[in-house]
Amino acid sequence: MAEERGMALVTCTAPVNIAVIKYWGKRDTELILPINSSLSVTLHQDQLRTTTTAAASRDFTEDRLWLNGEEVDAAQPRLQACLREVRRLARKRRGDDDPSPLNLSYKVHVASENNFPTAAGLASSAAGYACLVSALARLYGVEGELSEVARRGSGSACRSMLGGFVQWHRGERPDGRDSVAQQLAPETHWPELRVLILVVSGEKKAVGSTAGMQSSVDTSPLLKYRAEAVVPERLSRMARHIQERDFEGFGQLTMQDSNQFHATCLDTFPPIFYLNDVSRAIIALAHRYNAHHGRTKVAYTFDAGPNAVIFALEDTVPEFVAVLRRSFPPASNGDQFLRGLPVAPVALPEELVAAVVAEPVPGAVRYVLHTQPGPGPQLLRDPERHLLGADGLPRRTA
Ligand code: 2P0
């Protein structure tokens, strides 16, 4: 922790995660306790990350929060719940033998920014709250079980507290103490696994996740059935596929679980539509591509928005990216179409094009971000990367 003129300052980064067994629905909206456990892959922060600086000082007169350079209301209940929980843990710890306690009554300033579009269906709240809790915990010298705190910000955020392959246990206790994230395997476990994010829309989603899932809990009998009868068996099967690095099993189940999540959205009344025509074209393309190869080479999953996330093994990526270019020819920014990890260009066999590529839809996929599984939140030690200056105010605007 850096201390400047009585101000304590910490900067962390945190990752996005993508669920392969989806969370949708709370049994307790205050504590954010889910109706079922879920399982996700943490994505690499080299490509997608939130950076957050948290500062505390006796000179601050109120809690303040800046998101992507814009000041927003710091009184929002979820932010305050995270702050309260971190302070509670700090107070507990100080009962022991902490030598230089940061005064817990000091107000905080927090600045956070994403290197990807907010509310584009790329789980910005998960990375955002995981980063906030990581930075606050460092600021107050709190260690240990922090996924429980991140969960109070946003359910899926608890999974972003760990790298690799992560399960969020629904837990049984009414107080939520056992509703925590657990790493099943680190990011190094499956080195060939790659992730392609197909950004089809940067627009804000029509129905937010929090409201959408509550509506599903209230009205969808399919969601209830899914949580009770489908997910428990799928979780153990998915964990086994990951353990065995079985892409066939992993990919099939990933697609099936995404499809069932979207079926529960359709079963919600009034129905919620997160997929659009481009999403459906991507689903059809993935199935034609797998059928052509006679096995599961790519697997799609969609969250509460139209963007697709595709899992594939490293040696499939060049060919599938070439298929994407043929299917969704870039409108203008041809050299910006592929971002993130580099991909070698390949020529496609004509019989593959004939079997897999349908009528091209120019510009339907805005860009493709190529990434891989990655580690959990990181502490940044380089003072140049703090988002708040020595005066406790944002150093630059987005
Ligand atoms: C998931 N999603 O498992 C699922 C799949 C979207 C679809 O978690 O109300 O932002 O903050 O707990 O975590 C999005 O919901 O909702 C989400 P809250 P959250 O990733």
Side-chain angles (χ1 to χ4, degrees):
M1 181 186 7
E3 290 216 32
E4 295 173 36
R5 295 193 321 186
M7 182 175 74
L9 194 76
V10 172
T11 300
C12 288
T13 64
V16 164
N17 72 78
I18 178 79
V20 290
I21 301 292
K22 305 290 188 188
Y23 150 55
W24 196 250
K26 300 180 184 67
R27 62 181 200 276
D28 184 321
T29 53
E30 172 66 28
L31 294 175
I32 309 197
L33 302 178
I35 58 170
N36 60 258
S37 301
S38 54
L39 204 161
S40 60
V41 181
T42 296
L43 304 186
H44 207 292
Q45 292 167 68
D46 281 355
Q47 281 76 43
L48 292 163
R49 68 179 167 274
T50 297
T51 304
T52 300
T53 298
S57 163
R58 66 166 176 268
D59 297 335
F60 296 164
T61 53
E62 54 179 344
D63 293 332
R64 295 180 72 181
L65 172 65
W66 292 264
L67 293 184
N68 292 314
E70 301 253 327
E71 184 157 16
V72 297
D73 183 11
Q76 46 179 298
R78 288 173 172 215
L79 173 79
Q80 289 298 326
C82 291
L83 205 46
R84 198 171 54 239
E85 286 301 301
V86 172
R87 284 180 174 139
R88 187 180 61 76
L89 293 173
R91 205 167 289 120
K92 208 163 101 183
R93 192 181 146 92
R94 281 170 197 189
D96 306 341
D97 55 352
D98 195 286
S100 59
L102 177 69
N103 193 319
L104 290 173
S105 64
Y106 288 174
K107 300 294 182 190
V108 296
H109 284 188
V110 175
S112 188
E113 60 183 44
N114 300 326
N115 71 342
F116 55 93
T118 305
L122 292 176
S124 60
S125 70
Y129 279 107
C131 208
L132 172 77
V133 170
S134 302
L136 289 175
R138 284 280 186 165
L139 190 67
Y140 289 109
V142 172
E143 286 165 3
E145 186 47 74
L146 294 170
S147 73
E148 198 191 327
V149 183
R151 193 199 73 224
R152 299 292 300 273
S154 187
S156 53
C158 74
R159 299 188 312 238
S160 277
M161 295 301 283
L162 295 161
F165 302 83
V166 180
Q167 182 164 347
W168 171 18
H169 296 278
R170 82 185 279 287
E172 300 302 329
R173 292 172 53 141
D175 66 3
R177 286 287 129 77
D178 56 353
S179 189
V180 295
Q182 177 199 7
Q183 186 182 64
L184 300 183
E187 64 278 10
T188 49
H189 167 71
W190 202 344
E192 304 81 19
L193 192 63
R194 294 291 179 275
V195 180
L196 297 168
I197 299 168
L198 279 48
V199 177
V200 306
S201 166
E203 289 165 28
K204 221 172 144 68
K205 53 196 163 192
V207 182
S209 297
T210 306
M213 68 175 74
Q214 195 50 42
S215 182
S216 298
V217 167
D218 292 340
T219 64
S220 169
L222 176 57
L223 182 67
K224 187 170 157 52
Y225 173 75
R226 164 181 164 74
E228 289 170 4
V230 180
V231 168
E233 184 273 332
R234 282 189 176 178
L235 279 165
S236 50
R237 197 145 46 96
M238 185 63 91
R240 197 171 63 243
H241 293 321
I242 290 168
Q243 210 53 49
E244 294 170 356
R245 293 184 281 267
D246 168 7
F247 191 82
E248 182 72 34
F250 171 82
Q252 293 254 336
L253 193 48
T254 293
M255 293 187 279
Q256 287 167 346
D257 204 71
S258 173
N259 293 341
Q260 189 175 72
F261 155 53
H262 289 280
T264 67
C265 291
L266 198 60
D267 190 45
T268 299
F269 198 78
I272 306 168
F273 306 101
Y274 287 127
L275 305 181
N276 64 16
D277 286 347
V278 182
S279 317
R280 284 184 284 273
I282 293 165
I283 291 174
L285 177 69
H287 284 288
R288 284 196 303 273
Y289 184 75
N290 289 339
H292 177 75
H293 284 287
R295 62 196 163 100
T296 302
K297 297 260 286 177
V298 295
Y300 55 79
T301 184
F302 295 82
D303 280 350
N307 294 335
V309 176
I310 304 280
F311 288 99
L313 296 179
E314 188 181 13
D315 58 5
T316 300
V317 169
E319 187 181 81
F320 192 69
V321 166
V323 166
L324 290 173
R325 274 187 197 277
R326 285 291 282 264
S327 305
F328 307 106
S332 54
N333 60 344
D335 49 345
Q336 294 262 300
F337 184 69
L338 182 78
R339 305 176 191 187
L341 298 172
V343 177
V346 293
L348 292 175
E350 269 319 306
E351 84 275 7
L352 185 144
V353 174
V356 172
V357 177
E359 188 64 34
V361 191
V365 172
R366 284 174 47 213
Y367 63 91
V368 175
L369 182 64
H370 182 203
T371 185
Q372 60 191 344
Q378 308 283 314
L379 175 70
L380 294 186
R381 293 179 192 279
D382 177 4
E384 286 301 305
R385 296 186 64 185
H386 290 319
L387 302 180
L388 295 170
D391 57 357
L393 296 173
R395 293 172 73 176
R396 55 176 175 267
T397 50

